[in-house]
């Protein structure tokens, strides 16, 4: 086996068309065996050459979706759960990419293996690359093949660049996680007025700022179908974030932060990812965690402790928040802050902001995909604020460590 390709997008017919167009003179046999759709391809070698054979076996989930269900509704679902656990156990030099990869694994809906049964096809690397791009795929690759990037089993992105291997190596800085809108957008012809008005108003904001607009980008959830996090839940979350952020900036030692969170009964509200960070705050992890300033700023805005979410072209400054309004500090009980929070911004305000940052993020991702750097806006700030806003609106029921910022 050369590799196994995984994708959110399903379509055995698409693979078949790609193979047939690449080898129009090849002999192809299509079959179904043990739940797999099979393509057996033989390319004759001519008078003096030997023939070459490859096999592609394809399967997909029983019910394609945007997340892995709790029950094993198919053999592939069970396999994806094992894949998630395996990747989660790997070391990494890039926590951000590993986290994005784990998010992407949850969205996978099909797998297909490519086996070189006889001879070597010199075109195979190009074909695999074309399929990977067509399917926005990730690849589980064996060592010593035409596409290998590591001496052991490893994962590549759609451009055949290394995502992660058994030693934690990584050669990319970003990994797109895209979800087909059919799985979560509902019928865009049956929209509430607040959804349509929100989209229209935010597109006007983008237009005024000279930011590219995707008119086909769907509306987010309506007010009627959205449940905002409770004031206490938001206050607890921002208190934990504020403490981990102090460690990220080396303002306090991790042991001090852990003791603080445990002493004030906040350890149970600290996520597994945050606990792992506090127990081993490497420089790379600290650099990633410092970005959570923007999440803190966004949640403090939701709690009415910050007046505005300014245009995302400059980093927030947490020191601009009054110490009296900040949840943590020397000899300060964060529970006083938590218990004093009784109201938050309206559901409408929070959804307005979430929809706006959803559209900001689309513009940032569109520029990156096209090899350009967006001007006048900071993609990192946009991502972190959308992350916090999606948590606020309970987007897809995800917890803090698993928030998706889909575009």
């Amino acid at each position: 086996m050369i590799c196994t390709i995984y994708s959110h997008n399903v379509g055995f017919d698409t693979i078949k068309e790609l193979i047939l167009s690449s080898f129009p003179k090849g002999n192809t046999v299509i079959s179904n065996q043990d739940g797999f759709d099979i393509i057996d391809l033989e390319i004759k070698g001519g008078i003096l050459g030997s023939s070459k054979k490859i096999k592609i076996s394809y399967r997909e989930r029983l019910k394609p979706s945007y997340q892995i269900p709790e029950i094993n509704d198919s053999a592939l679902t069970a396999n994806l759960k094992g894949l998630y656990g395996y990747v989660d156990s790997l070391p990494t030099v890039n926590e951000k990419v590993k986290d994005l990869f784990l998010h992407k694994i949850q969205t996978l809906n099909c797998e297909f293996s490519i086996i070189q049964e006889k001879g070597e096809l010199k075109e195979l690397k190009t074909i695999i690359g074309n399929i990977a791009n067509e399917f926005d795929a990730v690849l589980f690759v064996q060592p010593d093949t035409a596409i290998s990037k590591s001496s052991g089993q490893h994962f590549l992105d759609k451009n055949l660049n290394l995502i992660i291997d058994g030693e934690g190596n990584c050669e990319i800085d970003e990994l797109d996680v895209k979800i087909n809108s059919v799985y979560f957008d509902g019928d865009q012809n049956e929209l509430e007025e607040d959804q349509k008005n929100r989209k229209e108003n935010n597109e006007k904001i983008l237009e005024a700022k000279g930011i590219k607009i995707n008119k086909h980008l769907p509306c987010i959830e309506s007010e009627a179908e959205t449940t905002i996090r409770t004031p206490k839940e938001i206050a607890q979350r921002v208190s934990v974030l504020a403490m981990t952020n102090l460690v990220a900036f080396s303002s306090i030692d991790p042991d001090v932060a852990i003791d603080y969170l445990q002493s004030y009964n906040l350890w149970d509200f600290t996520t597994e990812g945050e606990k792992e960070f506090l127990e081993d705050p490497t420089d790379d992890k600290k650099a990633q965690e410092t970005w959570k300033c923007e999440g803190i700023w966004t949640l403090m805005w939701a709690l009415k402790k910050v007046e505005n979410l300014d245009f995302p072209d400059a980093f927030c400054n947490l020191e601009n928040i009054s110490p009296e309004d900040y949840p943590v500090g020397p000899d300060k009980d964060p529970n006083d802050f938590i218990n004093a929070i009784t109201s938050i911004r309206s559901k409408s305000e929070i959804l307005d902001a979430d929809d706006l940052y959803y559209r900001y993020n689309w513009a940032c991702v569109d520029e990156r995909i096209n090899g350009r750097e967006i001007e006048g806006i900071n993609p990192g700030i946009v991502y972190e604020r959308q992350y916090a806003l999606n948590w606020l609106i309970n987007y897809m029921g995800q917890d803090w460590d698993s928030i998706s910022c889909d575009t």
Side-chain angles (χ1 to χ4, degrees), residues 245-264:
N245 196 250
L246 290 172
V247 176
F249 281 98
S250 301
S251 299
I252 61 173
D253 291 332
D255 291 344
V256 173
I258 291 172
D259 182 65
Y260 184 95
L261 292 168
Q262 290 176 339
S263 297
Y264 290 111

Side-chain angles (χ1 to χ4, degrees), residues 279-324:
E279 288 163 1
D280 182 27
T282 64
D283 288 342
D284 286 341
K285 291 179 182 178
K286 283 184 176 182
Q288 182 62 30
E289 195 67 24
T290 57
W291 279 97
K292 295 305 178 204
C293 279
E294 297 297 334
I296 294 171
W297 189 262
T298 303
L299 296 186
M300 292 293 278
W301 168 82
L303 295 176
K304 302 181 183 179
K305 302 299 184 182
V306 167
E307 186 174 350
N308 296 303
L309 278 182
D310 294 326
F311 184 69
D313 59 348
F315 295 107
C316 68
N317 185 351
L318 297 180
E319 292 184 359
N320 288 337
I321 301 174
S322 168
E324 290 77 19

Side-chain angles (χ1 to χ4, degrees), residues 190-336:
E190 298 181 3
L191 296 170
E192 301 290 343
E193 283 301 313
D194 70 281
Q195 292 175 282
K196 292 186 283 187
N197 292 338
R198 187 169 291 115
K199 180 177 187 290
E200 182 180 350
N201 292 337
N202 283 334
E203 286 178 347
K204 289 178 181 178
I205 293 174
L206 267 66
E207 183 179 14
K209 294 291 185 180
I211 296 172
K212 187 175 179 179
I213 297 170
N214 179 358
K215 290 288 186 180
H216 301 291
L217 201 63
C219 294
I220 66 167
E221 294 86 339
S222 68
E223 291 182 33
E225 59 188 340
T226 300
T227 302
I228 302 296
R229 305 273 179 176
T230 66
K232 186 171 185 178
E233 192 176 5
I234 300 169
Q236 289 168 334
R237 177 94 297 269
V238 80
S239 297
V240 173
L241 282 170
M243 186 53 59
T244 57
N245 196 250
L246 290 172
V247 176
F249 281 98
S250 301
S251 299
I252 61 173
D253 291 332
D255 291 344
V256 173
I258 291 172
D259 182 65
Y260 184 95
L261 292 168
Q262 290 176 339
S263 297
Y264 290 111
N265 300 316
L266 288 174
W267 192 243
D268 287 344
F269 304 105
T270 307
T271 70
E272 291 304 311
E274 288 164 340
K275 289 175 181 176
E276 290 177 10
F277 166 70
L278 292 172
E279 288 163 1
D280 182 27
T282 64
D283 288 342
D284 286 341
K285 291 179 182 178
K286 283 184 176 182
Q288 182 62 30
E289 195 67 24
T290 57
W291 279 97
K292 295 305 178 204
C293 279
E294 297 297 334
I296 294 171
W297 189 262
T298 303
L299 296 186
M300 292 293 278
W301 168 82
L303 295 176
K304 302 181 183 179
K305 302 299 184 182
V306 167
E307 186 174 350
N308 296 303
L309 278 182
D310 294 326
F311 184 69
D313 59 348
F315 295 107
C316 68
N317 185 351
L318 297 180
E319 292 184 359
N320 288 337
I321 301 174
S322 168
E324 290 77 19
D325 287 333
Y326 206 64
V328 302
D331 301 320
K332 188 172 187 178
D333 185 346
N335 291 293
D336 293 337

Side-chain angles (χ1 to χ4, degrees), residues 3-9 80 83 87 97 100-112 128 131-133 135-141 147 154-164 172 175-177:
C3 66
T4 301
I5 300 176
Y6 295 92
S7 175
H8 174 67
N9 305 309
L80 291 174
L83 180 66
V87 172
V97 169
L100 289 169
F101 187 27
L102 288 170
H103 284 316
K104 197 171 184 77
I105 289 171
Q106 295 180 63
T107 73
L108 300 176
N109 285 318
C110 76
E111 80 170 13
F112 41 103
I128 291 173
I131 292 174
N133 261 284
F135 278 80
D136 186 32
V138 293
L139 298 82
F140 182 50
V141 181
I147 62 171
H154 53 287
F155 294 90
L156 305 182
D157 68 2
K158 66 179 181 180
N159 298 313
L160 306 187
N161 295 320
L162 181 65
I163 300 174
I164 193 170
I172 59 175
L175 183 67
D176 289 330
V177 182

